[in-house]
Amino acid sequence: MKKIILLVLIFSGIISCKESSKVIKVDNKEVTIDSSTVKKHLYTLASDEMEGRMTGTPGIEKAAKYIENEFKRIGLKTYDTLKDYRQTFTFTDRRSKKELTTSNIIGVLEGKSKKNEYVIVSAHYDHLGIRKKEGQLDSIYNGANDDASGVTGVLALAEYFKTKANNERTLLFVAFTGEEMGLIGSTHFGKGIDVSKFVAGINLEMIGKTPSFGPNTAWLTGFDRSDFGKIVQKNLEGSGYTLHPDPYSKYNLFFRSDNASLARLGVPSHTFSTTPIDVDKDYHKASDESETLDFAVVTETIKAVAKGTESIISGKDTPTRVVLEEK
């Protein structure tokens, strides 16, 4: 009799383990950041059809529609009082002196217990457009790394967190316009927000190449201006991926990407990047095309950002407010 009971218990345990394994497998499948989807987003946004995505052109309008359609497919809500995903406004281009109408594209994933606390996940979807130069065969500045890679990250993270469905804080996924013209879109966005509700800014910029620190690493701008970076580092412990302070202090990169527009308001908003900017031969060149990027780097960096910011999104950690003094 004892043998029969023992066999029943062992058999039950095997079934239980199988069921448990099955649940874990399903859960893992649900929250995977898919490399093929990453590649699709990047190749689409950096295609010649987008004509370099210069603000105020038909090319960037195509990119805007693509991002809107992805937000809709993923199931994000619209922001604040907007009737759709577009925050449209007009500004005067300081170079051409022309008035341009353009849009930030914003999707919302409402939080649960802390829905009035916001974390923004952003990247700029504009680039330099078409620039014809004598002796240069390629005139389309596709901006694959700068910053189709970052927008790809925003789209992938939106789908990841929507699927995971456990964000306690509200997430705003934003593709900013006009970054290349002087942080136009993010500055406009910052004018209309209640800063006290914004807990953190996660900005992605040029995440398609292996950093000087080696594989499975990224660097963060303004690392010593809040404890945001230290929180991310702690969350990444044991993952095989590491985050480092920005090694290019002479370039003042903290104030040259869209994170700066929120940081100047006190929000701990920082930019993740992987590109060795000091030696990158494709930066602001027509050669910045999808084929020059390492898609494993893009995908693994997006995964690392998801894991590294997890405790902020869950409401467990709240970064200190950013130090505003420009260094």
Side-chain angles (χ1 to χ4, degrees):
M1 186 67 180
K2 286 182 178 179
K3 287 184 178 179
I4 293 172
I5 293 171
L6 182 62
L7 286 171
V8 169
L9 289 172
I10 292 171
F11 185 68
S12 299
I14 290 170
I15 292 173
S16 176
C17 286
K18 283 185 176 179
E19 289 301 315
S20 176
S21 175
K22 185 178 179 182
V23 170
I24 292 169
K25 184 178 179 182
V26 171
D27 186 55
N28 285 342
K29 184 178 179 182
E30 286 177 349
V31 297
T32 294
I33 291 171
D34 182 45
S35 59
S36 61
T37 303
V38 165
K39 198 167 188 177
K40 170 182 164 288
H41 289 327
L42 216 156
Y43 266 95
T44 301
L45 291 165
S47 67
D48 284 353
E49 184 184 353
M50 302 293 179
E51 301 173 332
R53 307 187 309 277
M54 187 173 185
T55 301
T57 67
I60 198 171
E61 173 61 20
K62 292 176 184 177
K65 287 180 178 177
Y66 179 80
I67 297 164
E68 282 181 304
N69 288 336
E70 287 301 304
F71 280 178
K72 184 177 180 179
R73 178 186 66 79
I74 292 166
L76 300 184
K77 295 181 179 180
T78 56
Y79 174 61
D80 198 27
T81 59
L82 299 179
K83 68 181 188 308
D84 54 31
Y85 295 120
R86 297 197 181 208
Q87 183 184 52
T88 303
F89 62 97
T90 300
F91 74 101
T92 302
D93 179 13
R94 63 189 182 190
R95 293 175 183 170
S96 68
K97 306 304 179 185
K98 293 180 180 179
E99 276 207 342
L100 299 176
T101 298
T102 187
S103 304
N104 293 323
I105 314 299
I106 308 172
V108 179
L109 181 59
E110 193 172 88
K112 301 183 185 311
S113 63
K114 299 185 177 186
K115 66 180 182 180
N116 291 323
E117 296 179 10
Y118 302 117
V119 176
I120 182 169
V121 182
S122 64
H124 69 93
Y125 74 108
D126 66 301
H127 195 54
L128 304 178
I130 297 175
R131 297 184 174 188
K132 295 182 179 180
K133 294 182 180 180
E134 188 176 346
Q136 183 174 295
L137 296 177
D138 187 0
S139 59
I140 300 176
Y141 286 63
N142 301 83
N145 199 26
D146 185 14
D147 189 27
S149 66
V151 178
T152 293
V154 170
L155 294 174
L157 289 168
E159 189 155 14
Y160 172 86
F161 285 112
K162 172 65 175 168
T163 304
K164 202 168 183 183
N166 66 349
N167 55 297
E168 297 301 323
R169 286 174 166 144
T170 293
L171 299 177
L172 300 187
F173 297 95
V174 186
F176 284 123
T177 185
E179 191 266 3
E180 300 286 5
M181 291 182 171
L183 314 184
I184 300 297
S186 55
T187 299
H188 177 81
F189 175 84
K191 290 177 181 177
I193 66 171
D194 179 349
V195 178
S196 66
K197 292 183 178 181
F198 281 75
V199 173
I202 302 164
N203 193 53
L204 308 178
E205 178 88 65
M206 300 174 67
I207 59 170
K209 297 186 177 182
T210 303
S212 56
F213 297 105
N216 291 323
T217 65
W219 45 270
L220 188 78
T221 63
F223 193 93
D224 59 346
R225 294 177 182 274
S226 79
D227 65 356
F228 177 99
K230 290 181 179 178
I231 292 170
V232 174
Q233 283 181 329
K234 184 178 179 181
N235 290 338
L236 288 175
E237 286 177 3
S239 70
Y241 199 105
T242 56
L243 181 70
H244 300 263
D246 169 17
Y248 309 110
S249 57
K250 66 179 181 180
Y251 296 132
N252 202 28
L253 297 176
F254 183 72
F255 290 101
R256 288 175 56 187
S257 194
D258 288 311
N259 69 282
S261 298
L262 291 180
R264 287 192 171 103
L265 300 174
V267 179
S269 182
H270 301 261
T271 294
F272 289 85
S273 186
T274 66
T275 301
I277 192 70
D278 58 334
V279 294
D280 183 34
K281 60 184 177 56
D282 303 309
Y283 176 66
H284 279 197
K285 300 285 196 308
S287 58
D288 182 8
E289 303 209 33
S290 299
E291 291 75 12
T292 66
L293 304 188
D294 187 327
F295 284 91
V297 171
V298 179
T299 303
E300 292 307 310
T301 300
I302 296 168
K303 289 179 181 179
V305 170
K307 181 172 179 57
T309 60
E310 188 174 43
S311 65
I312 297 172
I313 289 165
S314 71
K316 178 184 174 184
D317 288 321
T318 300
T320 55
R321 302 306 275 182
V322 80
V323 176
L324 292 175
E325 292 81 11
E326 299 194 20
K327 297 183 179 182

